[in-house]
Amino acid sequence: MPAPKDLMLLLPLAFLALQASLCHGACVEVDSDTEAEVDTGFKLGCISCKRRGEVTAEAYVEWEFKPFNDSESTPIYSYVEKNSKFHDPRFENRLEWRGSNNTNDLQDGSIYIHNVTFNDSGTYICTFYRTLKYTNYEFQTNHTKNIFLTVVPKLTRGMASILSEVMMYVSIIGLQLWLVVEMIYCYRKIAAAGEEALRESAAEYLAIASESKDNCAGEQVAE
């Protein structure tokens, strides 16, 4: 049976597990990557979380594309009730839906571009059209996100990524050194405590032996 102290440590973990089970996969809005390598695939991420979870809703997504050297955007793709529709022949055979499939709570409208070309550089506009359904009325809303995509010959690691990786390794090495120092300190402390105990035991044994010797000598004199 676990000790009371162990039970107290387990209570926060149990509470967190209960909270996680009640979340039912919370929606988190994450920005899309903005740099793609030519002749590879690339995911254009677009997430729009429905704020009121107690209200049912229906949504559809439309994508537009505007090259950097153009002032107007053109529709390229739409997703309505699990049906995809292509509006631009440049992307017709290269676009793939990578968003969620639940039309009653559509929150992820991401798409995937196969065989990226340099002509794919530009601004991608993702728009969520959502209808919130209340008891007596419906409310129309929309949410737009712009993704500025640059196609490069080869991806290079950013300075922030390199620095974060270096800091991670430095933290790991520092933690390991700290653990080694703690182990050495604890070992020396335990060894010193053991030596002190041995000295006390030896002194106590010598005192008892000396007292026994004195008692024997006194008994012999009395005889």
Side-chain angles (χ1 to χ4, degrees), residues 160-175:
S161 175
I162 297 174
L163 288 177
S164 62
E165 187 173 344
V166 170
M167 291 301 297
M168 180 187 67
Y169 285 117
V170 169
S171 300
I172 293 175
I173 294 174
L175 179 60

Side-chain angles (χ1 to χ4, degrees), residues 64-75 88 90 123 125:
E64 299 178 43
F65 173 62
K66 182 175 66 174
F68 287 141
N69 58 355
D70 201 339
S71 59
E72 295 184 0
S73 61
T74 57
D88 194 319
R90 293 175 297 177
T123 303
I125 305 168

Side-chain angles (χ1 to χ4, degrees), residues 11 18 60 68 73 84 104 123 151 167 193 198 205:
L11 284 177
L18 179 61
Y60 66 94
F68 287 141
S73 61
S84 302
N104 294 328
T123 303
V151 180
M167 291 301 297
L198 287 176
Y205 174 77

Side-chain angles (χ1 to χ4, degrees), residues 22-83:
L22 295 176
C23 288
H24 302 293
C27 175
V28 179
E29 296 189 12
V30 181
D31 292 335
S32 174
D33 291 334
T34 58
E35 192 173 75
E37 184 176 345
V38 68
D39 296 330
T40 63
F42 182 80
K43 180 180 178 180
L44 289 165
C46 181
I47 299 176
S48 174
C49 299
K50 181 166 65 68
R51 301 303 179 188
R52 297 179 61 86
E54 69 275 12
V55 176
T56 59
E58 291 183 357
Y60 66 94
V61 179
E62 289 188 353
W63 281 87
E64 299 178 43
F65 173 62
K66 182 175 66 174
F68 287 141
N69 58 355
D70 201 339
S71 59
E72 295 184 0
S73 61
T74 57
I76 60 173
Y77 182 84
S78 61
Y79 184 86
V80 182
E81 295 182 354
K82 297 185 178 181
N83 294 318

Side-chain angles (χ1 to χ4, degrees), residues 125-223:
I125 305 168
C126 167
T127 305
F128 274 81
Y129 296 91
R130 180 171 285 120
T131 303
L132 300 176
K133 297 186 175 183
Y134 296 88
T135 303
N136 298 321
Y137 70 99
E138 296 181 352
F139 180 75
Q140 306 288 335
T141 182
N142 61 72
H143 187 198
T144 299
K145 291 190 174 184
N146 295 328
I147 302 171
F148 305 98
L149 179 63
T150 303
V151 180
V152 296
K154 187 173 176 137
L155 289 177
T156 57
R157 297 179 60 191
M159 183 60 65
S161 175
I162 297 174
L163 288 177
S164 62
E165 187 173 344
V166 170
M167 291 301 297
M168 180 187 67
Y169 285 117
V170 169
S171 300
I172 293 175
I173 294 174
L175 179 60
Q176 291 177 343
L177 291 175
W178 178 77
L179 290 175
V180 170
V181 171
E182 284 293 316
M183 290 176 62
I184 294 175
Y185 172 76
C186 292
Y187 173 78
R188 290 183 175 178
K189 190 172 182 179
I190 293 173
E195 292 177 358
E196 183 66 23
L198 287 176
R199 285 195 294 268
E200 291 179 357
S201 298
E204 184 178 357
Y205 174 77
L206 292 175
I208 295 173
S210 177
E211 183 178 356
S212 299
K213 183 177 180 181
D214 293 339
N215 291 337
C216 291
E219 290 177 358
Q220 291 177 358
V221 171
E223 292 178 356

